Amino acid sequence: VAALVSVGVATLADPGGATPVVLGSGVAEDVLPPLVEDPNEYIVGFDALPEGVEVGATYEGAEVLRVVGPELAWALFDVADAPAFLATVSDDPNVRYVERNRLVRFDPGPLVPSPAVAQGGSPEGQSAEGPGDSAGGGLAYEPEDDFYGLQYGPQLIGADEAWKLTTGSTSDTGVCVVDTGVRDTHEDLRSVSPSHWRDYRNGRADPYDDNGHGTHVAGIATARIDNGKGIAGMAQVTLYAAKVLRADGSFLVADYASIGEAIRWCADRSRDHLVINLSLGGAAFTQDTPQAIGDQIDYAYDTRGRLLVAAAGNDGPCSACITWPAKHENVIAVTNIDWNMEFYSGSSRDSRYAELAAPGVSILSTDRGSDSHYTYGTGTSMAAPHVAGALALAWSHPDNHDLSNAELWARARATAKDLGPAGHDGYYGHGMVDAKCLVERNPYPIRNPAAEAGPGTGEVTLTWTKPIRTCGTIRGYRIYRAPAGGSYTQIAEVLAPIRTYTDSGLSNGTTYNYRVRARNDYGTSYYTKSLSVTTFAKPSAPRSPNAAPGDAVGRIEVTWSAPSSDGGSPITEYRVYRSASPSGTETKVGTVSGSARSWMDTGRLAGLTQYYRIRAINVLGGSPYSAQVCSKPNPSLSGVC
Ligand SMILES: [Ca+2]
Ligand SMILES: [Ca+2]
Ligand SMILES: [Ca+2]
C-alpha cells in the first residue's frame, strides 16, 4: 500500500548528489502548486550565533529567514549571491557547516476512508487477540470507544494491560507530532491550544491539517479513550503539533529547515516528558541525516532529554534501506508489522538501524475529513505513533518519572517481544514494542489457570500456562489458598519453568479457593481469577435400586443408577450386599466395575425372598448404602418379594 517512491527534483543541482525523496501520501484535497526547492536557501550551522543574526536581518549580504539556538545554532539564509556568501562563511571558523535547504518528499501511502466507519457503522476489522485477553488472567482494560473493536494495534502491543496501570497524564507528559498539522476540532482529539501549535508551512495561528496524515498519526498516539467515540489512542497526554509537511500530489513534502526548527520547538515544550513523533523521512537512505536536522535531534535528545521516534520508511521490499531521521543514532526507528505480528513487506528494514516494530497495517484512526470521520492507514507512519504513544504512556506513570530518555529506551529494547530471527534483526529490530512492560516490568497475568481435586485424597492439583509476555525472565509462580469464605495466604512458590503444583494434606470433601501469580525480577503479575475446588469426598448412595427375578429360575437381577455425586472422583466399583431378611445379617455378594449398573445373583433357591443394598466406591471409600430392595428368584411366583 505504501511503497516509497523516489522522486527526483530534476531542476536543482545538488552538491550532495542525493535525490530527495519522502514517505507517503495522504488524502490531499487541497490542490496546491508544487513546493519547489529554493536554490538560494542555505542553512549555516554556527558554534555561536553571530551578533545580529536574527530573523529579518541581513548577514553577509543574505537575508536571515530562520534562526535556532543558542546551542547547536543554525540560521537559514536567503542568499542572493551564493558564491560570495559561501566563500565568506566557509572561511569563518565559527561556522560548523553549510548546507542547502533542500526538500524531503515521500509517499506516505494512502489513507483509506471507510464509509461505514465515517457514518458511524461498524465494519469488520482485523481484531487480533491481544495479550490482555489471556483467559483467566486479570481482565484486560476495555475502553468505552465505539470503534475499539476495529483496532488491533493497542491490544497487540499490550496497551490494554498497560491501561490498567495508567491511561496517561496531560500535566507532565506530551507527544509532539511533526507532520501535516492536526484537525484538533475532531471529536476524538484534544484541542491543541495555539501555544501548543506551530505552523512552519503557512504561519497560521490555529491548528489545521490540509492533508490528513498528521491527524491520523496524532489519533493513534493520543486519541481520547473512554469517551464513547471513535478509537482509543495509546496515551492520554498533551498533544503538540508542528506543521512542516504539506501535500504535493500524492506525496508529502517539507524542507530541511522546517523539520529541524520543528524538532527544536518540540524539544523546548514545557512538559517534563516529551516524545517527538516523526512519521516522515528522506527516501535517500544512502544519505546521512541533514545536519540542520541532526543537530536539533541531538539537542532534543542530549540537551532536553526527549525521545524521538521515526518511521523507518516505506521502501520495502528492500534491505539496508532505513532512511533518515530514523537512522539517526538518537532516533528510534520503527518498522511495520501487521495484526499477526508479521513484517509488512512494504516496510523498510535495515539490520543497522531497525529498533522496534509496531502495528502499521490497516490502522484505524482519526480523519481530517470531518470532526467525526475515521480512516484506515497503512505505513510505517502509522507504526511510529504506536511506539511514541507507548513511550509517553510509560513516562506518564509516576513510577517512571525519574527514568531518563536513555533508560526508557533501554527498557523498550529489553522488553520488546522478539520476532523473526532470534535477537536483534533488521526486520523487527529488538522486537515488537510492549506498552505494558514499558509502563511496568512485572509479568503479564498467567494464562489458563485450572484446579482440580486429586490425584489423591486430600489433594488439589493446580496447572497454568506461562504469561503471554513476561517483561523479563519468569523466576517462579506463587500459589495462594483461601478456605471457603476466608482470606488468601501464600502457601508455596514453585520455580520456573514448573507450571503445576499439588497441594496436599487437605480435608476431604472441602472447598478451597486458589489463585496464582507469576514473579520475575521486577515483581509479580496480577493474580489469576479465584479457582474454587472441592477435595475428594465419598460418593453419595446409588439411586433407584431394584431387584427382580432374573433370566432363569434361581436368579435375581439387581439394578441401580449412579449416585448423584461421585465425590469428585470416578466411581471405581459397586458392591452388592445381600441378606435373607430385611434386618438380617448382610454379606457382600457381588462386586462390579464403576461403569456397571446391574449384577446377577445366580445361586438362589426358588421361593426364598432375598434382600439387597448397594454401595458406590471411589478413591476415598464407600458411599452410604442404597435403599433396600427385594425379590423372589422365580418370575412364576406371585408377588415381587
Ligand atoms: Ca475515543
Ligand atoms: Ca536510529
Ligand atoms: Ca528478532
Side-chain angles (χ1 to χ4, degrees):
V1 175
L4 277 183
V5 178
S6 267
V7 172
V9 178
T11 56
L12 299 172
D14 174 25
T19 301
V21 184
V22 194
L23 326 172
S25 88
V27 179
E29 294 178 6
D30 299 344
V31 177
L32 298 169
L35 189 65
V36 295
E37 284 182 336
D38 185 333
N40 296 323
E41 289 188 0
Y42 286 84
I43 302 166
V44 180
F46 296 101
D47 283 328
L49 209 58
E51 195 90 12
V53 173
E54 53 194 54
V55 174
T58 300
Y59 175 78
E60 300 294 351
E63 184 188 355
V64 181
L65 300 175
R66 299 173 190 268
V67 176
V68 299
E71 297 171 69
L72 296 168
W74 58 243
L76 173 65
F77 295 98
D78 187 11
V79 177
D81 182 351
F85 181 80
L86 294 174
T88 301
V89 297
S90 64
D91 283 346
D92 185 344
N94 185 39
V95 169
R96 293 184 293 129
Y97 60 87
V98 180
E99 65 188 1
R100 288 263 318 281
N101 184 27
R102 306 211 55 189
L103 296 182
V104 61
R105 178 183 277 106
F106 64 100
D107 177 359
L111 298 177
V112 183
S114 164
V117 168
Q119 293 159 15
S122 188
E124 292 299 312
Q126 304 83 6
S127 191
E129 183 175 333
D133 296 328
S134 50
L139 294 176
Y141 191 97
E142 273 286 338
E144 298 289 331
D145 295 280
D146 283 351
F147 300 141
Y148 182 64
L150 301 176
Q151 294 180 268
Y152 71 92
Q155 299 93 322
L156 194 67
I157 63 175
D160 53 355
E161 283 294 328
W163 291 331
K164 289 153 73 172
L165 304 162
T166 180
T167 56
S169 162
T170 55
S171 64
D172 51 45
T173 307
V175 168
C176 195
V177 174
V178 179
D179 214 291
T180 60
V182 62
R183 184 185 179 108
D184 76 323
T185 54
H186 195 284
E187 64 181 11
D188 218 12
L189 293 174
R190 277 178 196 73
S191 62
V192 175
S193 72
S195 64
H196 293 176
W197 157 262
R198 191 59 67 93
D199 180 4
Y200 293 100
R201 203 72 285 138
N202 300 307
R204 288 165 58 176
D206 293 315
Y208 68 98
D209 183 356
D210 56 8
N211 173 264
H213 188 265
T215 299
H216 200 267
V217 166
I220 293 167
T222 68
R224 288 176 179 274
I225 199 170
D226 288 330
N227 63 342
K229 292 173 181 167
I231 61 165
M234 287 294 301
Q236 307 298 291
V237 297
T238 294
L239 173 62
Y240 298 92
K243 179 175 175 63
V244 300
L245 293 165
R246 52 155 271 192
D248 183 16
S250 64
F251 291 79
L252 295 177
V253 61
D255 65 296
Y256 292 179
S258 292
I259 296 170
E261 191 177 358
I263 292 170
R264 179 79 171 213
W265 177 81
C266 287
D268 282 338
R269 293 311 90 202
S270 63
R271 293 299 181 272
D272 290 344
H273 305 299
L274 200 131
V275 183
I276 301 170
N277 190 86
L278 302 164
S279 286
L280 55 85
F285 45 78
T286 55
Q287 184 187 3
D288 288 336
T289 310
Q291 264 192 277
I293 295 171
D295 261 8
Q296 303 314 317
I297 290 170
D298 294 342
Y299 172 78
Y301 187 82
D302 293 329
T303 303
R304 298 289 299 164
R306 308 313 195 179
L307 279 169
L308 301 99
V309 177
N314 304 325
D315 272 327
C318 61
S319 61
C321 54
I322 287 181
T323 56
W324 64 265
K327 71 193 290 185
H328 189 282
E329 65 173 346
N330 287 332
V331 177
I332 298 171
V334 181
T335 61
N336 187 356
I337 56 174
D338 66 14
W339 49 90
N340 289 321
M341 296 185 282
E342 286 173 3
F343 187 79
Y344 183 65
S345 64
S347 175
S348 298
R349 62 185 165 94
D350 195 319
S351 60
R352 297 165 298 175
Y353 305 124
E355 269 291 317
L356 295 168
V361 182
S362 296
I363 300 299
L364 185 65
S365 186
T366 44
D367 179 54
R368 73 128 190 170
S370 83
D371 287 343
S372 59
H373 274 63
Y374 300 84
T375 305
Y376 287 100
T378 292
T380 52
S381 287
M382 280 71 245
H386 280 98
V387 173
L391 291 166
L393 185 69
W395 238 344
S396 74
H397 193 283
D399 287 355
N400 301 324
H401 280 176
D402 290 340
L403 289 182
S404 71
N405 54 353
E407 288 167 337
L408 188 56
W409 186 346
R411 180 185 289 190
R413 284 182 170 185
T415 61
K417 178 178 174 57
D418 189 18
L419 296 171
H424 181 271
D425 63 73
Y427 295 84
Y428 308 94
H430 295 275
M432 181 176 74
V433 70
D434 189 297
K436 187 288 200 239
C437 299
L438 266 177
V439 175
E440 179 191 80
R441 293 202 61 178
N442 299 359
Y444 278 65
I446 68 174
R447 294 172 295 154
N448 306 313
E452 59 179 24
T457 62
E459 292 183 341
V460 167
T461 298
L462 304 165
T463 56
W464 58 88
T465 309
K466 184 177 162 179
I468 195 163
R469 313 250 174 87
T470 60
C471 309
T473 304
I474 297 289
R475 300 301 181 189
Y477 298 95
R478 292 182 175 169
I479 318 296
Y480 301 80
R481 184 183 66 209
S487 54
Y488 280 97
T489 54
Q490 183 181 330
I491 57 166
E493 175 166 338
V494 298
L495 297 181
I498 296 167
R499 291 190 298 275
T500 181
Y501 177 73
T502 297
D503 190 18
S504 56
L506 302 168
S507 299
N508 291 321
T510 305
T511 298
Y512 296 91
N513 296 310
Y514 292 90
R515 57 189 189 184
V516 185
R517 56 180 176 170
R519 181 179 65 82
N520 65 11
D521 292 333
Y522 307 98
T524 48
S525 69
Y526 284 100
Y527 295 106
T528 59
K529 66 181 179 185
S530 184
L531 304 164
S532 181
V533 60
T534 302
T535 53
F536 292 148
K538 294 176 181 177
S540 57
R543 292 173 298 169
S544 309
N546 190 52
D551 52 357
V553 171
R555 295 186 167 195
I556 295 172
E557 184 176 37
V558 181
T559 61
W560 60 89
S561 300
S564 58
S565 169
D566 65 2
S569 180
I571 303 298
T572 54
E573 62 183 47
Y574 290 96
R575 294 174 186 167
V576 182
Y577 298 81
R578 187 180 69 207
S579 59
S581 67
S583 56
T585 302
E586 282 184 319
T587 306
K588 187 176 78 174
V589 291
T591 300
V592 294
S593 76
S595 60
R597 298 290 182 271
S598 66
W599 175 75
M600 188 70 79
D601 192 357
T602 56
R604 298 301 88 208
L605 296 174
L608 295 180
T609 298
Q610 304 296 321
Y611 297 82
Y612 300 91
R613 297 198 294 174
I614 308 106
R615 297 177 74 196
I617 311 298
N618 73 2
V619 65
L620 203 62
S623 71
Y625 288 87
S626 70
Q628 191 175 60
V629 292
C630 61
S631 177
K632 292 177 178 175
N634 188 333
S636 67
L637 296 175
S638 61
V640 175
C641 297

